[in-house]
Amino acid sequence: MAPPPVKLNLSSTSSSSAAANQNISTTSLDARLLVRETMRISANLASSPSPTPIHSAVLPLECRSSGVSPGLVQSEFVESNLRLICSEDIDGRRWNYLAENATGGSGGGRNGGLRKNSIRAICIDKPQAPTEELMAFIRSYVVPEGFPDSVTASYVPYMSWRALKHFFGGAISVFTTQTLLSSVGVSTSNSASGAVAINWILKDGAGRVGKMLFARQGKKFDYDLKQLRFAGDILMDLGAGVELATAAMPHLFLPLACAANVAKNVAAVTSTSTRTPIYKAFAKGENIGDVTAKGESVGNIADLLGTGMSIMISRRNPSLISTFAFLSCGYVLSSYQEIRSLVLHTLNRARFTVAVESFLKTGRVPSLEEGNMKETIFRLPWLKDKPVVLGSRFKDAFHDPAPYLALEPFFQKERYMVAYNPKKRKVYVLLKDQAKSDDIIKAAFHGHVLLDFIDSAVKSQYFQGREANDQFDSIATSIDIEAHVAESCKVVSTAYGLFKSKAAEQGWVMSDSLLNPGRARILS
């Protein structure tokens, strides 16, 4: 039986208020001291032979009984007012998180003698040169994430020739547009008529720029394709509405036409990027090309029939607003039902949440059809309101050294750790640098288990009336986080393997990349 957990007293007390009154604002001298100490720590760590992290699992018994806190490199800070709590790597840049001693010396107890809310983040790498930042910005638009390891060797020559082809194609389109307008009576010799041709070309150019900017969404097209596909259809309908608005405001033709074309081109990018994964889900063999061709043929036939119906209706001069409203409702409803009918075998973040929640409540993993039907379509993938943050940064999960030092021993043998922030009511999952694909999936599962435990405890106290005069957030602040983390560790150790086997039985395919983990990693 595990020893009784020690509660994290996250609420304000009189003792903490007294300590807070002794804190003074950071001065320029403190800042210089902080930088100097950080550089000294880094130099000592770099020069020390084969440093070994000190964890409670390998500390001698006398050290553990004397209150030596895990996670601290004690020998590096004997005469320093700062303690190294954790190191983190994100996109190749290393950050050190340090905390101040409460009394200027080392101390025992659960806080490790550290001052509350004193964690500071210091980047120990040199800032990128402006040219490097510019190149990184450009790469985010023109190459996939993880390039060159994420693509084959033929990607570069193919895309180089493709770019050259589109260069010549763009130049040709200028002359073809002018020729078409001239054929319908717009003369290029007249300055006003020439301006019409230029405006038309600018409209198309603005659409291409919007298409390029939205392409930066990158891997979101792989793991949130339902949400992006539906959002793209909404943008397509919105762009059509803006185009109709040019009839009422002809003096604003260029800005309205540009905005409409941007929306429609963004929708085109979404449709093109999500088309292959969708058709791949339908193909049972090596017939994805045939499935794609027939799917596009069905779409073209339906488009031609709709065009013909629209021509016949337009001859009767119907109300433009009423007709567009009716057709728009049909378009959006059809798009929604199209997405809802799609059954994907992969577990992205939304379907993973559905599967884990069902497993925790009923002990079973939903079928492919059930899991896809329960997936939320209206949630935009770039919104940051998810209750479980996978691959979080240390500074987002911890503002005080005490919770980290209390929770770190629970995850000595894991390649991740989970924490709960009661103020934000979110579970933060921190990944270690050795984390592999299965570790990331397990970490995401653990995060949902902890969230379920905490939500159940908070709702139980709230509805039982124990905290009748308190708000929901105050109850979440006072719960025993360590107890729930300890309980979740026991459940995950036995339930994760069972969850994976039941998910495989239902035909689900799990991959860490589809869960879209953050890039931050805790260094060992």
Side-chain angles (χ1 to χ4, degrees), residues 232-522:
D233 288 340
I234 296 294
L235 276 177
M236 179 67 76
D237 196 47
L238 180 63
V242 174
E243 284 182 336
L244 291 181
T246 58
M249 294 174 286
H251 58 287
L252 296 177
F253 170 81
L254 183 59
L256 289 178
C258 288
N261 223 30
V262 167
K264 297 178 76 170
N265 275 271
V266 168
V269 170
T270 304
S271 177
T272 304
S273 302
T274 58
R275 182 181 302 150
T276 300
I278 290 175
Y279 286 137
K280 186 178 180 181
F282 298 142
K284 286 189 174 181
E286 299 298 327
N287 61 334
I288 185 172
D290 187 28
V291 172
T292 302
K294 297 306 187 294
E296 293 304 297
S297 178
V298 170
N300 289 330
I301 292 173
D303 187 83
L304 289 173
L305 292 176
T307 302
M309 184 198 71
S310 178
I311 292 174
M312 290 187 293
I313 294 177
S314 63
R315 290 179 177 178
R316 301 187 179 185
N317 296 322
S319 171
L320 185 61
I321 296 178
S322 301
T323 305
F324 178 75
F326 173 76
L327 296 176
S328 293
C329 290
Y331 180 83
V332 173
L333 179 61
S334 301
S335 174
Y336 178 75
Q337 293 299 331
E338 172 196 14
I339 298 300
R340 295 290 290 176
S341 64
L342 179 61
V343 177
L344 298 176
H345 294 209
T346 54
L347 280 176
N348 66 343
R349 183 74 70 89
R351 293 186 290 277
F352 185 84
T353 301
V354 171
V356 175
E357 289 179 351
S358 175
F359 177 77
L360 295 176
K361 293 178 181 178
T362 65
R364 57 177 291 272
V365 175
S367 63
L368 295 175
E369 293 76 12
E370 183 183 357
N372 279 270
M373 286 299 295
K374 291 183 178 180
E375 180 181 4
T376 302
I377 305 297
F378 292 100
R379 178 188 294 271
L380 295 177
W382 49 80
L383 296 181
K384 298 182 179 180
D385 59 345
K386 298 179 179 66
V388 177
V389 182
L390 182 61
S392 164
R393 295 200 62 180
F394 183 89
K395 65 179 183 180
D396 296 327
F398 299 102
H399 301 285
D400 183 37
Y404 172 75
L405 297 178
L407 298 179
E408 196 265 351
F410 291 109
F411 302 95
Q412 292 290 343
K413 297 181 180 180
E414 301 291 349
R415 295 176 178 176
Y416 67 90
M417 69 178 299
V418 296
Y420 181 74
N421 190 320
K423 294 182 179 179
K424 299 179 180 179
R425 293 179 61 187
K426 289 184 179 182
V427 170
Y428 291 90
V429 181
L430 290 82
L431 302 173
K432 298 181 181 179
D433 56 343
Q434 317 99 321
K436 305 300 182 183
S437 176
D438 188 67
D439 299 311
I440 296 175
I441 298 173
K442 183 179 181 181
F445 179 80
H446 197 151
H448 284 282
V449 171
L450 178 61
L451 181 66
D452 181 74
F453 284 176
I454 292 177
D455 283 348
S456 299
V458 172
K459 292 176 181 178
S460 176
Q461 293 186 26
Y462 184 79
F463 290 114
Q464 287 179 6
R466 297 178 183 176
E467 308 286 347
N469 296 326
D470 289 344
Q471 298 295 324
F472 200 82
D473 291 343
S474 64
I475 301 176
T477 305
S478 61
I479 61 174
D480 191 344
I481 298 178
E482 282 186 57
H484 292 297
V485 169
E487 184 181 3
S488 67
C489 289
K490 295 178 182 178
V491 171
V492 170
S493 64
T494 58
Y496 175 63
L498 183 62
F499 170 76
K500 283 207 310 179
S501 62
K502 289 191 173 184
E505 291 175 2
Q506 295 290 350
W508 290 109
V509 177
M510 288 189 288
S511 172
D512 63 299
S513 61
L514 293 175
L515 298 179
N516 187 23
R519 297 186 298 272
R521 296 295 183 268
I522 300 299

Side-chain angles (χ1 to χ4, degrees), residues 165-177 208:
K165 179 188 72 174
H166 279 271
F167 170 79
F168 289 114
I172 291 173
S173 66
V174 175
F175 296 98
T176 57
T177 301
R208 293 189 180 97

Side-chain angles (χ1 to χ4, degrees), residues 144-166:
E145 292 186 26
F147 178 85
D149 298 330
S150 60
V151 294
T152 62
S154 59
Y155 177 82
V156 173
Y158 173 81
M159 295 307 297
S160 299
W161 287 110
R162 179 179 172 82
L164 188 61
K165 179 188 72 174
H166 279 271

Side-chain angles (χ1 to χ4, degrees), residues 14-32:
S14 58
S15 59
S16 63
S17 299
N21 292 333
Q22 297 177 0
N23 293 339
I24 60 174
S25 59
T26 304
T27 62
S28 59
L29 181 61
D30 294 332
R32 289 194 297 271

